[in-house]
Amino acid sequence: MAIRANPRLIEELELYGAEDVSKCYHCGNCSAVCPFSRDPFLFPRKSMRYLQMGLEEKLKGNLDPWLCYYCGECSDECPRDAEPGETMMSLRRWLTSQYDFTGISRLFYRSWKIESAAILLVAALTGLGFWLFGSSVGSLGVYDGPGAFFPSSAIHKFDWALGFLLAGLLLVNCARMWWFSIGRDPKLRIPVSAYVRRLFLLPFHFFTQDRYRQCEKKRPWAIHLVLMLSYLTMLVLIMFFLHLVQSGPEIDWRVHAFGYLATAGLLGTTAFALYGRIRKTETHYKHSHESDWIFLILLGYVAGTGIVQHVLHRAGLNTAANITYLAHMMGVVPMLGLEVPFSKWAHLAYRPLAMYFSALQEEAMEARGRASEETARLRAA
Amino acid sequence: MGFEPRIVGFLCNWCSYTGADLAGTSRIPYSPSIRVIRVMCSARVDPTFVLRCLSEGADGVLVCGCHPGDCHYSEGNYKALRRMALLKRLVRDFGIEEERVRLEWVSASEGKRFADVVDDMTRKIRDLGPSKVRAVLAADRAER
Amino acid sequence: MAGKKLQIALYWGAACGGCDVAVLDTDEFILEVAALADIRLWPIATDGKYADVEAMADGELDLTLFNGAVRNSENEHIAKLLRRKSKLLVAFGSCAHMGGIPGLANQVTREEIFERAYLNNPSIEAGNHTIPLPRTNVNGWELAIPQFYQRVYKLDDVVEVDYYVPGCPPAPDQVKKVIQAIAGGALPPKGSVVGASERTVCDDCARTKKEKRVKRFYRPWEIIQDPELCLLEQGILCSGSVTRSGCGVRCPNSGMPCRGCYGPGPNVRDQGAKLLSAAASIVDSKDPEEIDRILDGIPDFMNYAYRFGLPASLLQRRFR
Amino acid sequence: MGECRIGVYVCNCGTNIAKVVDCDAVARAAQALSGVVVARSYKYTCSTPGQETIVKDIQELGLDRVVVAACSPRMHEPTFRRALQTAGINPYFLEMANIREQCSWVHSDPRAATEKAVDLMRAAVRRVVWHEPLEKRYVDMCRTTLVLGGGIAGLTAALEIAEAGKPVVLVEKRDRLGGNVARVDLTAPYLDSARDMLRDRMEQVRKHPMIQVLLESELEALEGYVGNFKAHIRTKEGPFDTPAGAVVVCTGYQEFDASRVEHYGYGRLPNVITSFELEQMLRQGRLLTREGKPPRCVALIHCVGSRSPEYHSYCSRVCCMTALKYGHEIKSALPRCYVYDLYIDMHAFGKGCEDFYRRTAEMKTMFLMYEKGDLPRIEPAGDGDGGGMLIRIHEKLSGEDIEVPADLVVLMVGMEPREDAARVARLVNISQDKDGWFIESHPKLDPVATTTDGIFIAGACQAPKGIPGSVAQASAASARILAKLAHEKIEVDAVFAEVDDNLCSGCRMCNELCPYTAIEYDATRKRSQVISALCKACGCCVAACPSGAIKGRHFTDRQITAQIEGVLEWASSQG
């Protein structure tokens, strides 16, 4: 059955940042230089082609964009400046919006105004909520412990509640990702055993970013790894050791050590990325979608306010610390609440999943290949 | 060594002779049996020439022209075609194997084809053996 | 040579006698010939013996008109004898000129001829298997007859010839011209063809000639011909274009295609090859199959092309 | 034939010949031949010293014939002829034996190769004896030029020549000038208006005092030869004759009849149209479907009738750019309209075309590639698609089976020779290639002349080409003609056939055979004669002449026979 081509898709993708796709005339240089492009995941050319012809369904089930780390080689090599790298980036944005069942992601990506508005709104609500809550349970002068404006125990509960909510949302989208790329394809019948056997890929890629490491340029990987680990450390500290982080004056040195390291990591990488994007130092920094800016600003803001309120607290300026803390939360909540499930941040889940699913796909295809050969041989005999 | 046929080739200047030159420039080897005589067009090949070759002891005569439709002189090759058709009948009537007289189309770009034609004709004539013409005429004379 | 009578001989080799008749066909002119010449040898008309000829001094004869081809050792022997005895030796008629009708025998071997003539022939009496052999022993006596050659030769294959008078037979008025010319001592360059034109029959043929394209060949009886139009253009294979004129267009004028007895023009080496070239050139088709179909309309091309000149052709005979 | 003094020069061509052929042996064999005065084996005979040796020998040893056994005569015959000329003897006293291309380069056995080389050399020696001194001849040149066709090429040629002050007669079959370009709206890749380009030229041509324009006229017959043609033209006022020195054929092309490709249903489906019908719409500025609605999706199908085994194997050259141009024109007329290009390959060679392709791509034209043998299918669409058409295509670049909706399909029809091309070719005595295009005298070095002297071709009658190509070719042809007109007389090649009037019997065998109608029959004298200026020396008539009255200069029976005897001397010595 022929697939209907949709000439409008290419226009829609422009909103996600793919502005030069139509320039491509399929010389295939991009796929040739890409260290990752190999059968059956031939990108970026194939995805470019699907996009030009507007084969929406094909693209939805296509994991290739997640297998690309935007080292920029392809864009550098492209004779037509069709920016295959950026196209893959845009496709990742588009896919995120496709996986997301709420449709919020779609809104955000198509309009930075809506995204910013949503962030500001959530920030305002958070601010208001915490102020009322804080002033009801304690006083601005007290930082932690009984009568504190923000008792860590309460925040801790809040964090977990929020955490579960996000995980829930993310899980549903991941399930949709699975459905698009594997579930709905009758040709891909994958045994449970395979799912189990390959499961290790998830944590492996999540923690090592191993595939990113294989790109020819190593620095982007290193930076990304630092950012990711710092973020992770901070997450762990907050989710599990918040009381230790917040308690004082005498403090657990481990929390200190990790806390400072992570903060340094976050701030450093954020600063670097911002600088890069402003100066367009790298190919993958040339084109910046609004969502990229919002993400970085938000990250910087959260990390910044985090460390500032910590310092104030150390300095014993509890009132100031508490107000900063409020500001901090006004950043954290929209970041976790909106960015993680609906925007750029979601890739922390989708990328490792893509590795996992693609491995499964490949295995299934090989199996089918062997099977068909087998039947052929039998028929011949 | 065995019998090496002696073939006379009449090649038209525009297609076949150029084709034969191409075989040379592209170093395509073929049997040294052929001796080429250049004519402007295969239509210049007077049947008298062919009979003359046979009476002089040629083991074969090859006439090559442009492919039908490609003649430099628009239709000369068709005229050659007609003459050769009748000539083959006459040669047969003279008791000479008609394979000894052959018409082929070889274009300027067909160096390989020219080489193949020569080799094929050489092979066929080697199988036929040498032309009897000169021996028989000599025997006749010896009788008187 | 005025005053003194011309000494002439007429001889026939392998011939039908038509050429001798052609001489007689000069009607009363023959009397003038008798008046101005002594006919020393003319087997068909006068009684003369080889011995008389042998007795002559070399060059004693002013002129010998030799008609007929050389088929056997006798023909050759007498040819050589007459060559020695005559100042001028003229190949008279198609047979001496080109081998003529007897020359057609060059398509078969002597054995085949004997087979047909002496062994396998309805007119042979039962049980008679005699074939002529050069030497036979008849009760002690050896009988010798001329050797029958493998093939037929034209006169100049065996002796040097001074002039050629073509035709089968030569047209009487041409004969007259030749004899008068020689009598008058007006001799053309040695070796030339006399009593004929340098051009071909078409030159004298009254039929109108247009541009020639033939879709089919006809035997003369297969078509009702246009008496005004060139026979070749009507698909009737005519040798006029490849044949010296001089005959007075005898055949075409009587509705028959020229058979080519006067032989090719001065620049043509092989009459048959030229006829081939001409005939094939006017075939109106580009498709090999159709061309073959059209050519099928010419049965037995060889016998047509070389009717009078097979021994004079480049290949001279059939090879088997 | 008096005693000749022949010099034989065996070239080693460095080692090209010498490494297989024993050149010294060949020279020795030559020395032994009668008439050979000197025979030398030399490293590079074509080199300056090599040629000087020949010149020196001719002058000092009094040679009157030269044989060079070397490369192909197609390579160096002119070189050595010049050498003979320098030495003061007729250049046609040269004969070459091809012992490189047709000997040393194709045979490895030195013995056989040397034997062959000797035979070829001997043949050349035997032949050269019979060579005759030939002189180039000159005939008067008529100043008028005849231009056939009033298209862009014809207009250009006419103007170029008239501007040089030489009279031109322009014959146009139709009732107006402009040809096919007049049917075009804009031109790729610069999107200039074809009309504006033409209007100006047509005006100049109409007004030009040196140009006589004959509309609704056709060439009926062309007699004569270069410099002295006589053209019989049928005009609407009646017959018109003019002399002409040269002729430029610019009869152009005709579009491929799309209905021949039944597969696309042209003529059956209302909204399947040809590129020329689209041009018309664009020129009228009303781009509508048959239903009178502006189309939402237009599909352009490339290579209709071109690059296919059953129709034309060649590429029509301009359609790709034209299709891209439509992409622009349609988008600018209907910005919301989607354009699909269904193509085999995109041929975007030439100035500005690659950029144009890129710009079109950026305008979101959707390019769908199909396999040559596997044409897109046009099917009626479901109501969901507004009752238009659906085009199914196996898209080559993605390997996917795709369908796209379309309410207007444009068939990019290729160019083909005009129906009357064969007639024109016959009239002016030029040849057509297997596709029917007129054949130029050399595809690379002489693309405007033809095998008939004085007949030139320009524009799309020679091969599919665009406006720049046609204009360039027309200007080139005019330049060639003006160069000829710069002289009072023109040179005619020395090699041609001639009839010996003393032998011709007027059988007219040759008349029909001549491909150049160079043989005329004098009905009163009942003789045929060759118009040497028209003759191209193919020799067909020579072989056919039953009375041996026609002589093919430089390829005479005697010369070729000598050659035959030469190559077969070995064989005959055996028998």
Side-chain angles (χ1 to χ4, degrees):
Chain A
M1 184 53 212
I3 319 160
R4 173 64 58 92
N6 168 16
R8 292 162 196 78
L9 184 67
I10 194 165
E11 287 167 359
E12 180 181 343
L13 256 290
E14 278 184 3
L15 301 174
Y16 292 81
E19 285 157 352
D20 305 303
V21 193
S22 49
K23 291 179 187 170
C24 168
Y25 60 9
H26 301 280
C27 59
N29 274 329
C30 48
S31 302
V33 296
C34 176
F36 293 148
S37 177
R38 57 177 181 75
D39 200 34
F41 305 106
L42 297 166
F43 58 85
R45 208 208 102 230
K46 195 163 152 205
S47 309
M48 301 278 285
R49 190 64 191 146
Y50 285 160
L51 185 44
Q52 285 182 328
M53 297 194 298
L55 306 188
E56 212 161 342
E57 289 311 307
K58 278 264 170 196
L59 282 167
K60 259 195 201 169
N62 179 9
L63 293 172
D64 297 356
W66 297 116
L67 303 183
C68 157
Y69 279 90
Y70 203 170
C71 62
E73 294 270 347
C74 50
S75 296
D76 296 343
E77 292 301 324
C78 179
R80 273 271 188 119
D81 304 329
E83 296 296 344
E86 186 56 25
T87 310
M88 296 302 268
M89 183 68 231
S90 321
L91 276 169
R92 288 194 283 276
R93 296 184 190 116
W94 180 78
L95 280 172
T96 311
S97 73
Q98 294 299 306
Y99 299 154
D100 171 34
F101 68 101
T102 62
I104 297 173
S105 163
R106 196 162 172 279
L107 281 174
F108 285 3
Y109 273 126
R110 293 162 67 93
S111 151
W112 66 275
K113 298 205 183 76
I114 297 184
E115 185 174 11
S116 336
I119 289 169
L120 292 176
L121 179 66
V122 174
L125 290 177
T126 319
L128 186 61
F130 274 106
W131 177 263
L132 295 178
F133 165 83
S135 42
S136 65
V137 296
S139 81
L140 264 178
V142 187
Y143 185 74
D144 197 5
F149 192 71
F150 285 151
S152 51
S153 56
I155 299 297
H156 191 246
K157 288 192 196 71
F158 175 77
D159 285 351
W160 279 98
L162 188 60
F164 277 114
L165 174 68
L166 304 187
L169 286 169
L170 214 47
L171 269 177
V172 179
N173 291 353
C174 291
R176 282 167 61 81
M177 178 183 185
W178 171 83
W179 173 246
F180 291 146
S181 58
I182 295 178
R184 65 177 179 173
D185 184 348
K187 289 202 289 317
L188 294 174
R189 285 277 152 270
I190 297 166
V192 184
S193 60
Y195 280 102
V196 180
R197 229 179 323 106
R198 300 279 183 172
L199 196 58
F200 77 93
L201 286 171
L202 276 174
F204 174 69
H205 280 289
F206 184 87
F207 288 108
T208 62
Q209 313 272 308
D210 185 55
R211 190 181 173 83
Y212 204 166
R213 191 173 52 75
Q214 293 162 20
C215 290
E216 278 170 30
K217 301 182 189 163
K218 299 299 176 203
R219 195 164 61 173
W221 161 73
I223 291 165
H224 191 265
L225 191 67
V226 171
L227 170 61
M228 192 280 290
L229 290 178
S230 316
Y231 176 71
L232 208 64
T233 323
M234 222 53 201
L235 197 70
V236 172
L237 283 178
I238 285 162
M239 297 305 272
F240 299 96
F241 307 102
L242 188 68
H243 57 286
L244 292 179
V245 176
Q246 218 171 332
S247 66
E250 73 292 334
I251 246 202
D252 187 313
W253 67 270
R254 287 158 303 177
V255 178
H256 244 192
F258 280 107
Y260 287 133
L261 263 179
T263 316
L266 283 173
L267 285 173
T269 50
T270 316
F272 183 88
L274 275 168
Y275 175 81
R277 284 196 180 276
I278 294 164
R279 288 302 189 76
K280 304 196 187 311
T281 52
E282 307 268 349
T283 314
H284 58 279
Y285 283 155
K286 271 212 199 76
H287 310 266
S288 300
H289 190 261
E290 296 80 356
S291 56
D292 300 324
W293 294 118
I294 295 174
F295 169 79
L296 281 177
I297 293 162
L298 213 50
L299 184 59
Y301 174 82
V302 170
T305 49
I307 190 68
V308 169
Q309 64 97 18
H310 174 75
V311 172
L312 290 171
H313 165 223
R314 292 280 105 201
L317 306 168
N318 285 352
T319 318
N322 273 329
I323 294 171
T324 325
Y325 197 170
L326 184 63
H328 178 64
M329 291 308 276
M330 287 168 71
V332 171
V333 177
M335 182 170 87
L336 296 180
L338 298 176
E339 290 297 301
V340 173
F342 304 124
S343 186
K344 191 177 178 81
W345 225 306
H347 77 278
L348 69 91
Y350 297 145
R351 269 204 192 277
L353 265 180
M355 308 295 159
Y356 181 43
F357 290 161
S358 62
L360 293 169
Q361 279 184 350
E362 203 169 346
E363 190 172 323
M365 289 181 202
E366 276 163 11
R368 283 185 74 244
R370 276 197 303 279
S372 55
E373 279 170 25
E374 194 54 44
T375 47
R377 207 177 300 109
L378 291 178
R379 221 176 263 107
Chain B
M1 57 165 265
F3 155 61
E4 232 347 274
R6 194 57 57 110
I7 301 170
V8 179
F10 293 94
L11 273 54
C12 91
N13 177 58
W14 304 99
C15 295
S16 311
Y17 195 89
T18 317
D21 278 352
L22 180 63
T25 40
S26 22
R27 306 293 195 284
I28 305 169
Y30 55 84
S31 160
S33 57
I34 189 156
R35 305 283 183 267
V36 168
I37 291 174
R38 170 164 159 246
V39 287
M40 291 309 269
C41 176
S42 49
R44 172 63 181 100
V45 180
D46 185 327
T48 313
F49 299 159
V50 179
L51 298 183
R52 168 81 63 176
C53 293
L54 294 171
S55 72
E56 292 289 326
D59 300 304
V61 182
L62 173 65
V63 177
C64 296
C66 313
H67 284 270
D70 292 351
C71 177
H72 181 81
Y73 302 105
S74 79
E75 289 191 352
N77 47 4
Y78 287 112
K79 287 149 192 163
L81 173 66
R82 292 165 200 150
R83 291 176 189 151
M84 292 300 278
L86 187 49
L87 183 59
K88 276 178 162 293
R89 293 162 178 244
L90 180 65
V91 167
R92 207 191 305 125
D93 292 348
F94 268 112
I96 296 169
E97 303 87 344
E98 69 179 272
E99 297 78 9
R100 293 190 187 274
V101 175
R102 184 159 163 178
L103 173 68
E104 289 286 350
W105 308 134
V106 175
S107 85
S109 59
E110 292 179 323
K112 179 81 179 71
R113 176 167 160 67
F114 178 74
D116 294 345
V117 166
V118 173
D119 285 340
D120 179 67
M121 185 166 182
T122 309
R123 203 175 313 109
K124 290 207 167 71
I125 290 183
R126 217 181 260 118
D127 298 346
L128 289 177
S131 151
K132 290 189 234 59
V133 174
R134 298 204 64 81
V136 171
L137 293 181
D140 287 348
R141 260 180 266 110
E143 178 188 41
R144 301 178 5 235
Chain C
M1 55 179 77
K4 184 173 170 299
K5 272 194 158 187
L6 215 48
Q7 302 300 304
I8 70 171
L10 291 85
Y11 183 77
W12 58 351
C16 65
C19 291
D20 299 287
V21 175
V23 176
L24 295 173
D25 280 347
T26 53
D27 309 334
E28 57 283 350
F29 173 74
I30 199 69
L31 303 173
E32 292 175 34
V33 174
L36 60 93
D38 291 336
I39 297 174
R40 301 285 298 278
L41 175 76
W42 190 3
I44 201 175
T46 68
D47 179 16
K49 298 281 181 284
Y50 292 162
D52 308 337
V53 182
E54 278 153 5
M56 295 176 189
D58 288 1
E60 181 173 331
L61 292 169
D62 296 300
L63 165 68
T64 296
L65 298 180
F66 189 112
N67 73 75
V70 176
R71 169 82 266 186
N72 58 34
S73 51
E74 181 195 15
N75 302 145
E76 183 173 5
H77 170 70
I78 302 299
K80 286 182 168 146
L81 180 65
L82 286 165
R83 170 72 277 186
R84 211 166 52 246
K85 303 298 177 187
S86 27
K87 296 197 184 64
L88 292 180
L89 176 64
V90 173
F92 188 80
S94 304
C95 301
H97 177 208
M98 308 184 290
I101 298 285
L104 288 170
N106 283 3
Q107 295 172 79
V108 292
T109 61
R110 169 172 52 203
E111 291 63 34
E112 284 167 320
I113 295 172
F114 285 178
E115 167 75 19
R116 191 87 184 81
Y118 299 106
L119 301 176
N120 176 15
N121 181 318
S123 66
I124 301 280
E125 69 182 281
N128 181 346
H129 298 305
T130 323
I131 58 167
L133 300 169
R135 312 213 167 289
T136 347
N137 257 313
V138 183
N139 42 45
W141 300 89
E142 189 189 52
L143 294 188
I145 59 166
Q147 184 198 356
F148 190 94
Y149 291 150
Q150 269 293 355
R151 48 164 288 202
V152 173
Y153 299 90
K154 57 192 198 308
L155 185 58
D156 65 6
D157 287 336
V158 299
V159 292
E160 193 182 344
V161 170
D162 298 306
Y163 299 113
Y164 303 84
V165 177
C168 180
D173 52 333
Q174 296 285 11
V175 179
K176 215 185 286 181
K177 285 203 199 103
V178 172
I179 297 176
Q180 283 166 336
I182 293 164
L187 298 172
K190 191 167 182 295
S192 55
V193 173
V194 294
S197 154
E198 295 285 276
R199 302 187 199 269
T200 65
V201 175
C202 300
D203 185 46
D204 297 322
C205 178
R207 293 171 178 265
T208 54
K209 295 152 197 86
K210 301 209 204 67
E211 280 156 359
K212 300 174 166 47
R213 280 167 173 271
V214 170
K215 271 270 177 226
R216 162 177 178 188
F217 285 103
Y218 298 90
R219 318 294 302 277
W221 43 267
E222 285 180 314
I223 182 178
I224 298 174
Q225 58 168 265
D226 170 347
E228 301 306 315
L229 185 62
C230 167
L231 288 161
L232 207 45
E233 284 164 37
Q234 301 183 56
I236 301 170
L237 193 57
C238 172
S239 296
S241 61
V242 293
T243 307
R244 271 179 192 271
S245 193
C247 58
V249 201
R250 284 181 292 197
C251 302
N253 284 352
S254 45
M256 276 313 215
C258 167
R259 303 305 212 269
C261 67
Y262 265 61
N267 271 10
V268 176
R269 169 63 186 84
D270 189 299
Q271 193 177 11
K274 266 302 180 193
L275 179 65
L276 187 159
S277 196
S281 299
I282 64 172
V283 168
D284 185 12
S285 168
K286 291 181 184 175
D287 158 46
E289 281 74 31
E290 194 188 10
I291 292 173
D292 263 344
R293 260 201 312 288
I294 298 176
L295 294 178
D296 288 339
I298 313 176
D300 194 9
F301 181 75
M302 184 179 191
N303 278 300
Y304 194 95
Y306 295 105
R307 176 168 308 198
F308 295 93
L310 187 52
S313 70
L314 277 164
L315 288 170
Q316 302 168 39
R317 55 143 37 235
R318 177 175 289 168
F319 302 88
R320 274 179 315 182
Chain D
M1 209 70 244
E3 209 23 69
C4 287
R5 297 180 60 76
I6 309 170
V8 178
Y9 300 86
V10 185
C11 181
N12 305 2
C13 194
T15 59
N16 276 301
I17 296 173
K19 74 174 186 301
V20 188
V21 172
D22 179 347
C23 297
D24 301 345
V26 178
R28 279 195 302 278
Q31 199 74 59
L33 296 172
S34 70
V36 175
V37 175
V38 59
R40 309 183 190 276
S41 157
Y42 190 81
K43 197 153 192 55
Y44 285 108
T45 314
C46 61
S47 68
T48 320
Q51 296 185 51
E52 281 162 352
T53 321
I54 298 177
V55 176
K56 206 159 126 295
D57 287 354
I58 294 174
Q59 289 164 341
E60 295 177 359
L61 305 173
L63 304 179
D64 57 7
R65 297 286 190 284
V66 172
V67 167
V68 180
C71 50
S72 168
R74 298 181 57 85
M75 180 100 182
H76 273 314
E77 201 167 45
T79 318
F80 294 116
R81 280 189 177 161
R82 273 196 299 280
L84 268 66
Q85 223 155 359
T86 328
I89 65 173
N90 188 283
Y92 289 91
F93 281 146
L94 168 80
E95 178 64 12
M96 287 186 75
N98 184 343
I99 61 167
R100 189 180 75 174
E101 281 84 348
Q102 295 183 17
C103 192
S104 70
W105 276 354
V106 284
H107 307 319
S108 44
D109 169 17
R111 194 196 51 76
T114 306
E115 196 177 78
K116 176 172 175 176
V118 170
D119 283 352
L120 294 173
M121 175 276 299
R122 191 194 301 109
V125 170
R126 297 269 183 266
R127 185 189 208 272
V128 82
V129 169
W130 298 96
H131 280 206
E132 294 160 3
L134 302 178
E135 296 305 335
K136 295 205 178 292
R137 287 143 335 96
Y138 297 84
V139 296
D140 291 331
M141 178 93 189
C142 161
R143 319 315 288 167
T144 309
T145 303
L146 176 67
V147 176
L148 300 180
I152 188 70
L155 294 169
T156 310
L159 271 179
E160 297 271 351
I161 295 168
E163 282 302 303
K166 306 281 185 289
V168 175
V169 175
L170 192 160
V171 180
E172 168 58 50
K173 195 174 184 179
R174 281 155 70 244
D175 59 355
R176 61 186 185 291
L177 296 171
N180 280 311
V181 176
R183 306 162 64 195
V184 175
D185 180 33
L186 301 184
T187 58
Y190 303 116
L191 301 176
D192 312 321
S193 153
R195 242 173 305 176
D196 302 349
M197 281 189 250
L198 268 179
R199 193 181 299 112
D200 169 49
R201 286 214 165 192
M202 292 194 284
E203 263 326 290
Q204 290 186 46
V205 168
R206 275 197 218 88
K207 291 211 177 73
H208 206 294
M210 300 302 276
I211 303 178
Q212 178 178 14
V213 180
L214 304 172
L215 294 174
E216 294 176 73
S217 312
E218 264 188 275
L219 181 69
E220 288 281 285
L222 187 75
E223 295 163 8
Y225 51 88
V226 58
N228 300 275
F229 291 110
K230 194 164 188 306
H232 305 284
I233 301 161
R234 185 180 44 67
T235 72
K236 52 180 187 301
E237 292 80 18
F240 171 90
D241 291 2
T242 174
V247 181
V248 194
V249 182
C250 315
T251 47
Y253 68 96
Q254 73 186 22
E255 71 205 83
F256 174 80
D257 170 11
S259 58
R260 285 174 63 194
V261 193
E262 279 161 21
H263 178 86
Y264 289 138
Y266 175 74
R268 196 172 73 250
L269 305 170
N271 283 315
V272 176
I273 65 172
T274 70
S275 35
F276 278 99
E277 288 166 323
L278 182 65
E279 289 285 359
Q280 200 174 359
M281 289 192 193
L282 293 166
R283 272 172 54 239
Q284 295 163 345
R286 35 200 300 283
L287 178 52
L288 298 170
T289 65
R290 284 275 187 282
E291 295 73 29
K293 294 202 289 314
R296 288 157 306 157
C297 306
V298 180
L300 308 168
I301 300 182
H302 289 232
C303 293
V304 176
S306 308
R307 309 182 65 207
S308 84
E310 57 268 41
Y311 306 108
H312 299 307
S313 54
Y314 54 82
C315 159
S316 283
R317 216 165 188 271
V318 299
C319 333
C320 279
M321 286 304 106
T322 312
L324 295 182
K325 179 195 76 174
Y326 293 153
H328 280 265
E329 294 200 70
I330 295 170
K331 286 264 185 197
S332 52
L334 310 166
R336 292 308 302 151
C337 179
Y338 292 106
V339 178
Y340 314 101
D341 262 51
L342 286 69
Y343 70 109
I344 298 175
D345 309 291
M346 189 59 67
H347 287 192
F349 48 77
K351 208 172 182 178
C353 293
E354 182 58 32
D355 297 345
F356 188 61
Y357 177 19
R358 178 199 175 109
R359 287 209 302 284
T360 320
E362 288 166 11
M363 296 181 70
K364 305 268 180 307
T365 299
M366 187 189 285
F367 291 99
L368 299 168
M369 189 187 227
Y370 67 90
E371 184 67 59
K372 250 184 192 179
D374 179 9
L375 301 181
R377 294 194 312 289
I378 305 175
E379 294 165 6
D383 304 335
D385 306 290
M389 290 163 286
L390 264 190
I391 300 178
R392 296 185 189 281
I393 167 178
H394 178 73
E395 206 283 324
K396 198 173 165 189
L397 285 171
S398 59
E400 304 290 347
D401 291 318
I402 307 298
E403 63 178 32
V404 288
D407 37 25
L408 189 64
V409 174
V410 182
L411 304 179
M412 303 302 304
V413 289
M415 298 182 177
E416 63 185 15
R418 299 178 52 87
E419 286 147 356
D420 58 6
R423 182 177 163 278
V424 175
R426 215 170 26 258
L427 280 176
V428 302
N429 278 320
I430 59 178
S431 326
Q432 294 173 278
D433 66 16
K434 66 182 199 315
D435 300 309
W437 303 108
F438 297 150
I439 297 182
E440 62 279 33
S441 92
H442 188 290
K444 300 260 181 294
L445 304 176
D446 203 355
V448 294
T450 65
T451 48
T452 302
D453 241 352
I455 308 284
F456 296 85
I457 48 178
C461 62
Q462 177 255 349
K465 61 172 67 71
I467 298 170
S470 304
V471 170
Q473 211 177 4
S475 316
S478 335
R480 293 287 300 277
I481 290 168
L482 291 172
K484 281 184 185 294
L485 287 170
H487 308 91
E488 287 306 313
K489 294 176 172 296
I490 47 164
E491 185 182 285
V492 199
D493 188 4
V495 177
F496 54 83
E498 55 196 346
V499 177
D500 179 341
D501 203 60
N502 300 319
L503 292 178
C504 176
S505 311
C507 66
R508 306 195 65 181
M509 192 71 64
C510 52
N511 294 187
E512 185 81 342
L513 295 180
C514 180
Y516 304 99
T517 57
I519 305 180
E520 62 183 6
Y521 178 68
D522 178 340
T524 53
R525 293 179 53 249
K526 305 231 313 256
R527 302 276 176 263
S528 295
Q529 55 216 78
V530 174
I531 306 160
S532 47
L534 268 185
C535 174
K536 289 262 163 282
C538 67
C540 179
C541 58
V542 185
C545 178
S547 43
I550 309 182
K551 175 167 148 197
R553 283 181 161 216
H554 207 56
F555 289 89
T556 64
D557 289 355
R558 200 65 206 76
Q559 290 164 353
I560 293 174
T561 306
Q563 226 170 338
I564 295 171
E565 290 163 348
V567 288
L568 290 169
E569 212 163 277
W570 170 87
S572 37
S573 65
Q574 309 291 303

